[in-house]
Amino acid sequence: MARNDPEWAFLDHNIDYTKVVSEADIDKLRRQGISEDHIQQEFYNNPNVGAIGTYYAKQINEMRLNGQIGDYPWNPNYPVYTTWDLGTVNNRIVFFQIIGSGKFFIDEYDDTTGGFDEICKHVEDLPYLRHMDILPPGAEGVESLAESRVSMLRSRGIKARVLKRKEIGGIEDRIECVRGQLPMIRIDQNKCAKTIEALSSYRQQYNSITRTYERYPAKDHSRHFADAFGYACQAFRFLQ
């Protein structure tokens, strides 16, 4: 806005202009392990990079600019799928539809009670024609209750599928899968606000001792919806 508004003073003085830091200095920082996003943000005034250490923030910014995040409500002519991130307390669900070659995320559910019956009732009360509920690896294992969660879903007449670890790999595989799928995805900004925020915030764990980012994600509020979204991206190939 400031760049294009004559009433604003706008100065874009990066190192190419100031010459305070040389390209040799920048190359040295790269060899020391400073990320390219950090370099672009701090030395070249590039606003199109994500927050340092984030996995998807840059792509989410691009999706906003491209109109991929906007008004994408439920289409009643197509079935709805869900993917779940399950915990003892924190449970997150994302709802999506596959329409042609497009993937549309239309809703989310944020539960912090840990009451699985309440979660199922909420999902069942929604007007969506659910075709399948997809659960993360480990959901078939025996829990504190006599029945596993996936068995509970099936007992309620819900078609459920459990993703296998050998099918989807580890966390790094899930992150790369999301990055590859985001260009084909549309997200409803009204009903998926927490999912969008989580994807923007999802980041690497920062080591305050070494002052570097670890290879694994931080265990913060963003990981639950980010994981549920990631499971959806990994499930797409089973749903075509």
Side-chain angles (χ1 to χ4, degrees), residues 6 19 22 30 58 64 92 128 146 191 231-232 239:
K19 308 299 183 183
S22 70
R30 289 190 178 102
K58 181 179 179 180
R64 290 184 188 278
R92 306 292 189 273
Y128 308 140
K191 289 195 171 184
Y231 293 134
L239 305 176

Side-chain angles (χ1 to χ4, degrees), residues 208-219:
S208 59
I209 297 176
T210 63
R211 297 183 180 181
T212 58
Y213 287 94
E214 307 288 356
R215 294 180 61 185
Y216 54 86
K219 294 182 178 181

Side-chain angles (χ1 to χ4, degrees), residues 21-218:
V21 180
S22 70
E23 287 296 333
D25 294 326
I26 297 299
D27 288 339
K28 183 177 180 181
L29 290 173
R30 289 190 178 102
R31 291 194 298 272
Q32 291 173 350
I34 302 301
S35 72
E36 190 62 32
D37 277 356
H38 183 85
I39 288 171
Q40 290 296 321
Q41 177 176 288
E42 296 299 319
F43 297 103
Y44 295 97
N45 304 343
N46 186 348
N48 297 317
V49 298
I52 305 305
T54 57
Y55 290 107
Y56 314 129
K58 181 179 179 180
Q59 284 181 278
I60 294 297
N61 289 339
E62 292 172 350
M63 290 173 70
R64 290 184 188 278
L65 294 173
N66 295 337
Q68 293 174 251
I69 296 176
D71 295 327
Y72 294 103
W74 164 53
N75 187 329
N77 297 314
Y78 291 87
V80 173
Y81 300 88
T82 69
T83 46
W84 305 43
D85 179 66
L86 301 174
T88 55
V89 176
N90 296 302
N91 300 280
R92 306 292 189 273
I93 306 174
V94 295
F95 300 73
F96 62 95
Q97 295 181 288
I98 300 175
I99 303 175
S101 60
K103 287 91 172 180
F104 297 83
F105 284 80
I106 60 164
D107 206 348
E108 64 189 16
Y109 180 57
D110 182 2
D111 172 81
T112 57
T113 65
F116 201 68
D117 283 334
E118 289 78 5
I119 299 172
C120 291
K121 185 177 186 307
H122 172 86
V123 174
E124 290 168 345
D125 288 343
L126 294 171
Y128 308 140
L129 174 63
R130 291 188 356 265
H131 182 70
M132 184 182 296
D133 294 322
I134 300 164
L135 280 68
E140 284 182 305
V142 176
E143 302 174 347
S144 57
L145 300 174
E147 197 173 30
S148 72
R149 281 171 169 168
V150 68
S151 295
M152 291 173 67
L153 285 172
R154 290 169 179 163
S155 71
R156 301 171 79 104
I158 298 171
K159 185 178 180 181
R161 188 192 196 286
V162 179
L163 294 173
K164 306 295 185 182
R165 293 194 184 278
K166 63 182 180 180
E167 294 176 325
I168 63 175
I171 294 175
E172 292 180 346
D173 298 297
R174 183 158 66 250
I175 290 169
E176 288 307 310
C177 180
V178 172
R179 285 171 167 161
Q181 291 288 346
L182 283 176
M184 284 78 74
I185 286 173
R186 305 292 184 270
I187 307 177
D188 186 79
Q189 63 186 354
N190 302 303
K191 289 195 171 184
C192 299
K194 291 183 178 180
T195 300
I196 296 167
E197 192 279 329
L199 293 172
S200 297
S201 301
Y202 192 50
R203 67 184 63 230
Q204 296 168 272
Q205 178 66 45
Y206 182 71
N207 188 320
S208 59
I209 297 176
T210 63
R211 297 183 180 181
T212 58
Y213 287 94
E214 307 288 356
R215 294 180 61 185
Y216 54 86

